[in-house]
Amino acid sequence: MLRMITRRLVASIIVLWLVSLLVFVATLMLPGDPARAILGQGATPERIAALRAQLHLDQPAWEQYTHWLAGLFHGDLGISAATQSSVNTLLADRVVASLLLMFLAAVISLPLALLIGTWSAMRRDRAADHAISGVTLVLAALPEFVVGIIVVVLFSTSVFRVLPSVTLTRPGDPVWSEPAQLVLPVLTLVVAVTPYITRMMRSTMIEVLDSPYVEMARLKGLPERTVIWRHALPHAIGPVAQVIAIQLAWLAGGVVVVEFLFRYPGVGAALIDAVNNRDVQVVQAVTIIVAGVYIIVNLLADVVGILTNPKLRTGMSR
Amino acid sequence: MSRESRSAPGFDRRRFLGAALGGAGLVGAGPLLAACGGTTPGAADAAATGKPKRGGSLRVGVAGGGAKDTVDPHIAATNPDIARVNAMYEPLAWRDAEYKMEMVLAESIEPSKDARTWTARLRKGVKFSDGRPVTADEVISSFKRMTDPDSPGNVAASLSMLDEMTKRDDRTVQFHLSSPTAIFDDLIAQYSAGIVPTDFNVKKPIGTGPFKLDSFTAGQQSTHSRNEYYWREDQPYLDKITIIDFPDDNARVNAMLANQVDAIDNVPVALVRVLNTDPRLRVLNSETGSWLPFTMRVDKPPFDDVRVRQAMRLVVDREQMIRQVLSGQGRVANDMYAPFDPGYAKELPQRHQNIAEAKRLLKEAGKPNLTVELVTGPIQAGIVEAAQVFAKQAAEAGITVKIRKVDTSTFFGDDYLKWDFAQDFWYTRNYLSQVATGSIEGAPFNETHWGGDKEFMDLYHQAVAEIDEKKRTTLMKKLQKIEYERGGYIVWGFPNQVDAYTRYVGGLEPDRTGLPLNAYRFYKVWLA
């Protein structure tokens, strides 16, 4: 089992490295000279040369890449072209803010989706099941910015004026200093993520409930609760973990739109700003961070899959 | 925004990301149930009427902004930058809400007979926000800072004739110019020409404006408190203001509806009618001299043929443009700019759509089935929409307009000012200042490559050196007639500037400059 996890880990690292290569090559191909962009009209040839040297732009591409990669290993994301300050300081608070948003969305939507999905499977083909199917289908079809606008209209601007519609935390204060501001962005993400997981949980659970060992357990006379919790649920979790991983990884990208809509000071807003400013270093940094989140979440899902699958867990299949 | 070079005064780009999603659905008409998310002024329900009151804190949501934001008075580029500059600094003079010259830190700015020397006399008793007096020395060092060739400010390009400055006494400065310039006062009446101390440090900025800086985070917000040394009596009324960046239109409008901010700039024009029905809000609708022209390069085919340019101007249905692009929030223009200049040539007949005449001109030019590429981009609200409407209108005359939409960075990138056929955006200016910035050879933003016309250039040099206003107006009318007949701009309309504020905010009035929220003149704003 340990070997399999190690193998997955190594694969993840290789993928991350490939992503870094891809990001770097893509940004190399962008037109325009960053040094000229930073200096603007005050760009005299001497100042451009000096700045190019400072940014290592005068070196061949592979040297720039190794320099950048070495920086990544040291946790140094480079210098932002637009602000001429460290990308680390620019992104530090924002990464924390975005992770908080994702974490809250995950902590709320996961148990919710698993519970609703299981419950729905248990009342298969009854009214409640059909209602849940319908509602989750509709919600799954709505893009998150539509959900965002609906919750703003409902809870902030028009129907009930009870929650703030945008995040206006004073810079320097953490975003959780005014928890009310987190409600609508988190709610939007929860609504965006929960339906998929619910539907997947329901169908997997139905499959599991139909399986011979569940029938066996029931025939043994085990109480239904034990059947569900001890026997059915663990088997359903494995496949669902993959969907959960994809959904959580999607959150890393989905926050971009949600952050923009709610003026939330996270990496998504920073990414949009950086793209508009051609701030290559920040774009690279945010892309790597988002890719990192994707890979970590998928790795965790793999581990959960291995742990919940007895065949894999005991190393019988190779 | 994403302009990589510094911009000239009044030449700043406002970008709007995203359309007004949800439109009418965003707005509720019910009574104010609960104010939330932050502090609300005491009597949130009372409308601001009668005499201004002291005290209170104003939260302003401003469109745009990002990590490149600056509080440097001389290089403001985005709306939040301009708002902060106008809160913290003041120039010698500026254009008031009527677009008349108003003395600010100067009490007079007078030319010599040959318009080569200008004398500015400072107002008595003006102090910086740290209590130090403003003298001729600070004026001289400030202008040196704005025109420093190593790090030029927004106004540097238009002040190239400024040779040297001398101090006559503590309150008098003389500007010596290399060429006669009768409009020098207009050129320095800019928000980007603020006066700062000789030892100015952008990390600890000091100015003479109504508010001083307490905190500032680029791309987020800034907080300011009252400048106790401010020179206008009893003003400013507010104790504090917070200027908050809002890159997204929806977020800004929603924040206003949720009472998280007290005023916002740049309301999407499609929302004006809906916001007007909300009893909590006031819409500030200002007629301006801003313009969103199509720019044809007069030195490149097919536009080097004057008949093609005339045909292009004749295919535009200007009323339809105003209706469809601006939702009716604007006025029809006549291919000329500077409508608030006393010398504006309003006697020239209004140009209307004339497809038959356009077709005739194209046929005469030997280009009956003209195909042109129009470069557009979301550089300002309405630009892309105008391109689309124009393409439809031009099709009626057999002209194929291929629209090439690029992003803002590309638009203002290396090819900016070189596109054969594109669009642009300008704030209100007077005629000669506008010509100096965009319509003569060597002008910093000459999109149409205008100025090869010898007759035009001769008249311009005469006009710009003429201090007699009557004679200057006569020359200006001739210049405008030339542009009206042969120029490279299609000026179809003057869009209104639309902002909004909650009803307890007082002191804001319509402003012709085109700058949002009464040109961010926060010194006269108060809360009921």
Side-chain angles (χ1 to χ4, degrees), chain B residues 352-392:
Chain B
H352 294 286
Q353 188 184 43
N354 189 340
I355 298 292
E357 177 66 6
K359 276 183 167 165
R360 191 190 67 75
L361 283 164
L362 287 174
K363 208 170 163 193
E364 211 179 285
K367 296 180 176 92
N369 292 310
L370 186 66
T371 300
V372 290
E373 184 188 75
L374 172 60
V375 179
T376 187
I379 55 171
Q380 163 68 301
I383 290 274
V384 178
E385 293 82 352
Q388 286 158 348
V389 175
F390 177 79
K392 276 223 174 105

Side-chain angles (χ1 to χ4, degrees), chain B residues 280-327:
Chain B
R280 299 171 296 158
L281 305 181
R282 297 276 180 275
V283 173
L284 183 66
N285 204 335
S286 307
E287 291 197 344
T288 74
S290 305
W291 44 300
L292 315 166
F294 295 94
T295 60
M296 303 179 279
R297 264 186 76 166
V298 300
D299 59 341
K300 278 280 184 76
F303 306 113
D304 55 349
D305 188 326
V306 66
R307 289 168 296 193
V308 174
R309 302 203 292 271
Q310 286 163 346
M312 297 294 276
R313 286 168 156 191
L314 283 171
V315 301
V316 190
D317 179 346
R318 292 151 206 263
E319 286 79 12
Q320 190 185 40
M321 284 287 226
I322 301 286
R323 270 199 317 275
Q324 297 197 345
V325 177
L326 303 177
S327 300

Side-chain angles (χ1 to χ4, degrees), chain A residues 120-159:
Chain A
S120 188
M122 285 160 62
R123 348 204 91 221
R124 187 174 0 162
D125 290 333
R126 290 209 241 160
D129 180 36
H130 287 306
I132 287 169
S133 279
V135 169
T136 52
L137 190 66
V138 169
L139 290 182
L142 285 178
E144 67 274 14
F145 64 87
V146 175
V147 176
I149 287 172
I150 293 173
V151 298
V152 166
V153 169
L154 271 182
F155 297 109
S156 181
T157 58
S158 296
V159 185

Side-chain angles (χ1 to χ4, degrees), chain B residues 72-83:
Chain B
D72 187 311
H74 299 145
I75 57 171
T78 62
N79 276 343
D81 286 353
I82 300 170

